[in-house]
Amino acid sequence: MQPIRFTPDVEQVDPDEQRLTREIVEQMNATARNAFERHRHAHRDAHAKSHAILKGSMTVQDGLSAELAQGIFASPKTYEVVARLSSAPGDIHSDEVPAPRGFAIKVIGVPGDRLSPDIGGENQDFLMVNFPVLAFGTIPKYKQMLGLLEKNAHAPDFFQRLVAGVARGAKDALEAVGKVPSATLEGLARDNNHPLGETYHTQAAVRFGDHVAKLSLAPKSRSVRDLTGRDLGDVQYSTMRDVIGNFFRANGAEYELRAQLCTDLETMPVEDAAVLWEEEKSPHRAVATLRFDSQGPYSPPRQVFGDDVLSFNPWNGVEAHRPLGGIMRIRRAAYERSSAYRHTQNDRPRIEPQALSDIPD
């Protein structure tokens, strides 16, 4: 099947969206204020706990077909990148608590019409999680689930481990009788596999030049492919940071950035990020390779810079990769407010790096 052409009407804005957005952002703001009082330090509303800040490069493949040679992937080129690996909750928890993991990428020095000129810089951010869909794929569903998500994020660690254990049991029971677990159950039933062996997804759609796509990031080099599905066993408070640091002290890694083009808006909707785009309709196809050499990914200066100075925002980028769908639209308001609050409360400037040399070693 041929990929659909991007036009503005691939998005369908709910008439109640502005009101729901205001209510959600205000609820998130109240939660952020409470978290600041507990920690006396402002963290991100989501993916608060980082595990590594990586410096690397992204090389766009030569000879891409016309439908893949789009946007920043239109011609072969190598960009500098910085990545932040994290856990999804909006509070700091022990790594004993299974949680979705994040892999945020900032591509440095990308020309093009800016989506958010006020942010400054010329970078392109792609934010990914190690699960292909969201349990709350629309803004109304997100509003319904927000309270539960925030309560779980701030619940005691032992309670979260209990919830994850029960969810894994329910997931296994469904799969044993041939049924597919829901996205909500899948999200709660996370395990503690090695984060460097995971495949990460934008979950929601983005414009892909003349087309529409979801992006994914998959292990490419054997060094990280060998980590796929590897259970970490005895997990402690900061095991994710430690295993990533131990790996990069002795190894480099390569990942494949892939595009899954939308070929049918009915079965591959833009407005519901809970719907899985079936690979039978459109496979994930490689467009670039990310490389990270051996390095120290979490020195104190790099951690502080990554957590308190850097921001990652799906709306920090170029028009050719505009985020699409309700979940992406609400992120525009939510991420900007979160970043402004964090930088103000921590008295840190917001800096968009112009080169990897801006990132501390």
Side-chain angles (χ1 to χ4, degrees), residues 325-347:
I327 290 298
M328 285 295 207
R329 290 192 297 274
I330 196 172
R331 284 175 175 171
R332 185 168 208 165
Y335 275 66
E336 191 53 42
R337 186 217 55 79
S338 173
S339 178
Y341 182 79
R342 178 165 52 90
H343 287 91
T344 298
Q345 294 301 107
N346 295 338
D347 192 24

Side-chain angles (χ1 to χ4, degrees), residues 202-356:
T202 56
Q203 298 184 313
V206 298
R207 180 178 177 181
F208 198 75
D210 293 334
H211 305 294
V212 174
K214 291 185 178 184
L215 303 183
S216 61
L217 187 73
K220 181 178 181 181
S221 62
R222 183 169 181 178
S223 60
V224 282
R225 283 190 291 110
D226 285 349
L227 301 177
T228 299
R230 180 179 295 183
D231 186 89
L232 292 176
D234 183 22
V235 175
Q236 303 299 316
Y237 196 90
S238 293
T239 293
M240 301 301 161
R241 175 202 65 193
D242 295 342
V243 297
I244 295 171
N246 291 338
F247 174 90
F248 277 107
R249 270 191 285 273
N251 304 276
E254 291 186 356
Y255 289 86
E256 187 173 79
L257 186 63
R258 310 177 305 182
Q260 184 185 27
L261 298 175
C262 179
T263 58
D264 175 17
L265 281 173
E266 291 297 319
T267 58
M268 306 171 75
V270 163
E271 289 295 343
D272 190 348
V275 177
L276 182 68
W277 289 11
E278 297 292 344
E279 291 194 57
E280 291 78 8
K281 291 183 177 291
S282 180
H284 296 265
R285 300 159 68 188
V287 294
T289 297
L290 273 70
R291 294 182 176 88
F292 301 100
D293 293 336
S294 178
Q295 58 191 284
Y298 213 62
S299 66
R302 193 179 286 196
Q303 176 194 352
V304 171
F305 191 86
D307 285 347
D308 292 347
V309 177
L310 278 183
S311 285
F312 293 85
N313 183 336
W315 288 90
N316 181 30
V318 295
E319 178 61 43
H321 299 297
R322 167 180 286 271
L324 300 174
I327 290 298
M328 285 295 207
R329 290 192 297 274
I330 196 172
R331 284 175 175 171
R332 185 168 208 165
Y335 275 66
E336 191 53 42
R337 186 217 55 79
S338 173
S339 178
Y341 182 79
R342 178 165 52 90
H343 287 91
T344 298
Q345 294 301 107
N346 295 338
D347 192 24
R348 291 288 187 271
R350 174 176 178 168
I351 295 175
E352 279 298 314
Q354 298 180 10
L356 278 187

Side-chain angles (χ1 to χ4, degrees), residues 66-80:
E67 68 269 21
L68 294 178
Q70 300 286 328
I72 69 172
F73 309 101
S75 58
K77 183 176 180 180
T78 296
Y79 296 91
E80 294 182 323

Side-chain angles (χ1 to χ4, degrees), residues 4-15:
I4 67 164
R5 303 284 293 185
F6 168 79
T7 60
D9 60 9
V10 301
E11 294 187 282
Q12 302 294 321
V13 178
D14 189 293

